[in-house]
Amino acid sequence: MQLLKEKVLEEGIVLSEQVLKVDAFLNHQVDPSLMSAIGKEFVSRFSGETITKVLTIESSGIAPALMTAAHLNVPLIYARKQKSLTLKEDIYVKKVYSFTKQVASDLTVAKKFITPDDRVLIIDDFLAHGEAALGLAHIIRQADAELAGIGIVIEKAFQNGGKRLKDAGFRVESLVRIASLENQRVQFAEDYIEREKINYATSV
Ligand code: 5GP
């Protein structure tokens, strides 16, 4: 998605070789027309699927997930992140670990919002190690609902989340894939492969 790539290059900040900050358009200040374009793109990628609900995690997944839900005309549910809980009767709970923040939290969704006849699309802002998406998929399974697929705005393809989700049999659609954040530069996966090909061709 060219528009998103340009935004990442112009406004993304490489915090380390592992973490990209996108608080200028996605995680803090939000660009509504970009979010709308992202929503439309997810709708087009999952156009063959029946989807009755969109599921994400608070707070940074909400903007792209809401626009996807709006274009699909279905409800958005965002899982809440809470510290360990005691009362659990009316909620689905899954503990997830965030490598980025180095904390574990309980993802919770009220049982009344996901039922066995739902086909749910997961949307999240980033895919790193896959913990968040696997946690949401687990909640969908607890509800006996079906997972229609997983839409990711920015996949860091050098971390193992994409592989874990595909190994679990899930369909994953990432709008941009980052191959590396080395040397404080964002390198997209397709450009990285192209450059490797050129390097190889010029070296033989
Ligand atoms: P995962 O669960 O796949 O390891 O990580 C995904 C979650 O961690 C996302 O929901 C996102 O909020 C956060 N995250 C992971 N990597 C990054 C990153 O490079 N930048 C930002 N801003 N958030 C990230």
Side-chain angles (χ1 to χ4, degrees):
M1 197 184 166
Q2 193 54 32
L3 186 61
L4 179 59
K5 273 185 168 182
E6 284 164 17
K7 258 319 219 203
V8 168
L9 289 177
E10 282 162 20
E11 297 182 30
I13 298 167
V14 179
L15 281 190
S16 69
E17 289 188 356
Q18 310 293 319
V19 179
L20 177 70
K21 191 170 170 177
V22 289
D23 66 348
F25 59 93
L26 182 56
N27 286 160
H28 189 19
Q29 174 170 261
V30 178
D31 180 332
S33 60
L34 178 67
M35 290 309 121
S36 182
I38 284 172
K40 273 193 193 142
E41 180 68 24
F42 280 133
V43 172
S44 128
R45 293 202 188 196
F46 289 100
S47 60
E49 301 285 346
T50 302
I51 295 162
T52 61
K53 302 260 166 81
V54 173
L55 178 64
T56 191
I57 303 184
E58 70 174 357
S59 58
S60 50
I62 294 176
L66 176 63
M67 293 314 290
T68 308
H71 289 299
L72 285 168
N73 201 20
V74 300
L76 160 73
I77 304 157
Y78 59 89
R80 294 189 160 149
K81 278 186 221 158
Q82 300 179 350
K83 291 265 175 247
S84 282
L85 293 162
T86 41
L87 271 176
K88 297 181 179 171
E89 295 108 66
D90 302 331
I91 50 175
Y92 297 116
V93 185
K94 177 74 178 98
K95 192 172 282 305
V96 293
Y97 183 74
S98 164
F99 289 96
T100 317
K101 295 189 181 134
Q102 310 242 310
V103 287
S105 49
D106 281 345
L107 291 186
T108 69
V109 173
K111 286 185 177 170
K112 62 184 174 187
F113 292 133
I114 307 184
T115 59
D117 25 290
D118 277 319
R119 287 201 91 234
V120 183
L121 174 65
I122 291 174
I123 298 286
D124 206 4
D125 60 339
F126 272 92
L127 175 59
H129 299 276
E131 286 289 299
L134 286 168
L136 292 177
H138 194 272
I139 284 178
I140 294 167
R141 202 163 51 234
Q142 287 180 58
D144 283 327
E146 233 184 297
L147 173 59
I150 301 172
I152 300 291
V153 180
I154 301 172
E155 176 179 347
K156 291 182 293 177
F158 56 90
Q159 293 170 325
N160 67 352
K163 182 172 182 327
R164 288 179 77 195
L165 298 184
K166 280 165 205 154
D167 286 352
F170 302 140
R171 177 178 171 198
V172 182
E173 290 286 339
S174 303
L175 302 189
V176 300
R177 299 180 73 242
I178 292 175
S180 156
L181 294 174
E182 283 166 23
N183 306 316
Q184 284 169 332
R185 270 185 58 216
V186 176
Q187 289 199 64
F188 294 109
E190 316 83 76
D191 306 347
Y192 193 79
I193 293 163
E194 275 310 305
R195 205 165 8 255
E196 290 296 294
K197 273 194 216 150
I198 294 164
N199 285 346
Y200 177 73
T202 51
S203 69
V204 289

